[in-house]
Amino acid sequence: GEPGTVPALDLIEARLRAADIASVRVRHTVSVPEDRGSWLELSGGARIAVTPLPANGAATAGTGGAALSGPLLDAGRGRLADFAGKRAAGAIVVLDADSGEGWTNAAMLGALAVVVRDPASLDRARLAALSVPATLPFPRFAAELPRPLPADATARLQSTVVWTPRTAWSLCALVPGAGTPPTHMGLITTGYEANGGMPNPGATRAWNAALLCEAALAQAADPPRRSALFVWNGARGEQFRGLREI
């Protein structure tokens, strides 16, 4: 459902078209979280944009539009030792990008929310550690924050994230076999969309999408007896909706 999927499909289609392989797009409708405004306002008046991290389970990301106010607490990697002598209850806790599951300690200790520093360094593995599959409505964000934080700083955090319908696409290309009846056909499929909760170029699925292109081109150049339907499936974030609807 993100804009980057369309240029990705354009590249795949162009590769197939160059080998005279016809393709068709299949449309799907998915629900995606849309950030309607998220920011952290420091006690000195500076306002910093924050990016909501993916929701836990069925919870909604952000603060639901509510404003959360409290002291800013720098807890490094979020280990229990990092909270020693500090009061996390009622605070907005700031963690390092490599803090892993340290945010769960902040939640357990009564923090209002967590803001993770240095969003550019949040790769897929780090993002995975910043969420859980259980429905835990605890706000988590990423933002560029000063280091060290201003002494005795307080902040106000507000974020509105809503679910909105978007269009997702799958791409299908049939490569006929040599003399096999049309009822005999194999299905070869892969994803092409990037996963991840942060805006990124989305190269996660590039290698398997490219490999499927090469497989389709090879079959078209030297067809086996059985036909093959090649599918670059989309809408994977909704329990593989693209595969289920094709």
Side-chain angles (χ1 to χ4, degrees):
E2 296 299 328
T5 59
V6 174
L9 283 179
D10 291 341
L11 288 171
I12 297 170
E13 286 177 325
R15 187 82 172 110
L16 298 175
R17 195 180 308 116
D20 294 323
I21 301 174
S23 61
V24 61
R25 295 187 183 189
V26 180
R27 179 175 176 169
H28 317 285
T29 300
V30 295
S31 296
V32 299
E34 179 180 314
D35 183 8
R36 295 284 179 86
S38 301
W39 44 267
L40 179 75
E41 185 174 330
L42 303 180
S43 49
R47 180 174 285 195
I48 299 171
V50 297
T51 300
L53 295 179
N56 292 315
T60 302
T63 67
L68 306 178
S69 298
L72 278 180
L73 173 63
D74 193 335
R77 297 183 64 187
R79 299 165 297 190
L80 290 176
D82 295 319
F83 288 100
K86 303 174 182 177
R87 182 175 177 81
I92 298 171
V93 175
V94 178
L95 298 179
D96 296 336
D98 61 351
S99 56
E101 296 179 353
W103 67 272
T104 60
N105 289 328
M108 177 179 64
L109 293 171
L112 296 176
V114 157
V115 181
V116 179
R117 278 194 180 97
D118 192 15
S121 68
L122 289 176
D123 57 21
R124 185 178 180 184
R126 288 179 173 179
L127 279 169
L130 288 168
S131 63
V132 292
T135 301
L136 177 61
F138 181 72
R140 290 148 297 112
F141 302 88
E144 293 288 353
L145 293 177
R147 189 191 298 269
L149 293 173
D152 300 321
T154 60
R156 184 169 178 262
L157 177 65
Q158 189 167 3
S159 172
T160 301
V161 178
V162 299
W163 290 96
T164 185
R166 295 267 184 90
T167 297
W169 300 94
S170 293
L171 183 69
C172 302
L174 176 64
V175 178
T180 302
T183 53
H184 295 92
M185 180 174 63
L187 172 66
I188 309 174
T189 183
T190 188
Y192 72 95
E193 300 165 320
N195 23 1
M198 297 288 292
N200 62 77
T204 309
R205 300 285 174 187
W207 66 271
N208 46 357
L211 182 61
L212 195 62
C213 282
E214 295 305 312
L217 268 56
Q219 178 141 335
D222 185 18
R225 290 190 56 80
R226 178 165 297 196
S227 299
L229 179 65
F230 292 86
V231 178
W232 290 261
N233 60 81
R236 294 168 63 89
E238 286 196 0
Q239 302 296 321
F240 298 93
R241 177 181 289 273
L243 278 180
R244 292 187 287 110
E245 292 185 347
I246 289 177

